Amino acid sequence: MKYFNQFYLWGVDTKYRMGLYFSAAVFFKGLVNVLLGNWTVDIVVLLEMLLACFAFACLESAIFPYGKEWLAKGQGGRIALWAALANLIFIGCGLGLNWFPGIPLWGGLLLVLILEYALLAMWYALRLKERRDTAALNQGLRRFQEET
Amino acid sequence: MKITVEHIDLPENEVILRCPTLDEEMLGVLSLLRSGLQRLCVWDDSRRTTLLTPAEVVYCETVEDRVFVYTGQAMYQTALGLGELESRYSGLGFFRAGKSAVVNLHHIRSLASQGAGRIEATLVTGEKLMVSRRYAPLLRERLGL
């Protein structure tokens, strides 16, 4: 039962991450298709994107298991590995599986830039959340120390 | 240890401890007797007992089944367990920060969220103490968050 629960919790966490990446991939795929005058998305491409996102979410949960801090000191190597895998999987699949047929070179480069920005934004969001939590904790501490 | 209770006519209850030296056992008895007061009975390396006010205590920790009490200037031992320290002085700011530490919230300089649900406390002495994932939600609750 213990192992089942561990697996179940892992599944819930990974599913959430996979869904997040998949929605972003589908959004950009849809946007590019619309800009290229194509109002449909192949189901095969959607399936490939889903699998790629699942693979990345699994690798991400292996690099940062539950409870492992993303922002702690000495995590630089893990973060670099995570970013490298994101680039490898999404750029590799985009090129290898031809997710964006007919896109000009500058459009492809723009998508890569957006990917890098998104990776940075995720890291920044975590840091922002941590800072806000720290401020709330210190405010609570001061209040406690003044009141008692 | 031999325990004798004498019923005699006295104006005030009296406890007399007889021993060749103040060993761990006797220090524990002393500590229990004195803990009835709001003071914490502790002893130092030279087995000299001291009564500390809870406000003087920065944090307490267990190391190899011994409970050490740290003030800003000195380190002592006490016979009380961490659980007892926490329950007895909770109202005075004592908080269980982990399996082996109790911290006085009044002696925390700052707190920092550490991700994964943990909190790092920087004490007034400059030392850092980690509030574990298990106890961090209780700290938030204690701080009214």
Side-chain angles (χ1 to χ4, degrees), chain A residues 66-69 72 129-131 133-148, chain B residues 90-91 93 105-116 118-119 133 139-140 142-145:
Chain A
Y66 179 70
K68 196 87 193 174
E69 298 161 37
K129 193 177 156 197
E130 201 178 85
R131 269 191 211 162
D133 191 34
T134 295
L137 280 169
N138 283 307
Q139 203 178 10
L141 179 69
R142 297 287 161 262
R143 204 170 42 226
F144 177 87
Q145 289 174 336
E146 281 162 17
E147 283 172 5
T148 55
Chain B
S90 167
L105 294 175
H106 292 287
H107 288 294
I108 293 179
R109 188 186 294 153
S110 65
L111 294 168
S113 174
Q114 286 293 301
R118 297 192 304 168
I119 298 169
R133 210 185 318 164
L139 177 59
R140 289 176 197 279
R142 188 79 183 272
L143 300 180
L145 300 173

Side-chain angles (χ1 to χ4, degrees), chain A residues 55-122:
Chain A
F56 181 61
C58 287
L59 289 167
E60 188 180 86
S61 68
I63 299 169
F64 294 103
Y66 179 70
K68 196 87 193 174
E69 298 161 37
W70 282 59
L71 300 173
K73 283 171 195 160
Q75 296 292 319
R78 284 173 188 267
I79 292 173
L81 179 66
W82 171 79
L85 280 169
N87 279 291
L88 187 75
I89 290 174
F90 293 114
I91 297 173
C93 286
L95 287 172
L97 300 169
N98 200 21
W99 280 353
F100 303 99
I103 193 170
L105 181 65
W106 66 265
L109 289 174
L110 187 66
L111 281 179
V112 171
L113 264 178
I114 290 170
L115 173 68
E116 305 308 327
Y117 172 78
L119 295 177
L120 262 176
M122 271 185 74

Side-chain angles (χ1 to χ4, degrees), chain A residues 24-33 36 45 49 90 93-95 97-104 108 111:
Chain A
V26 170
F27 173 76
F28 283 105
K29 170 67 180 162
L31 188 72
V32 169
N33 275 17
L36 293 173
V45 172
M49 284 180 160
F90 293 114
C93 286
L95 287 172
L97 300 169
N98 200 21
W99 280 353
F100 303 99
I103 193 170
L111 281 179

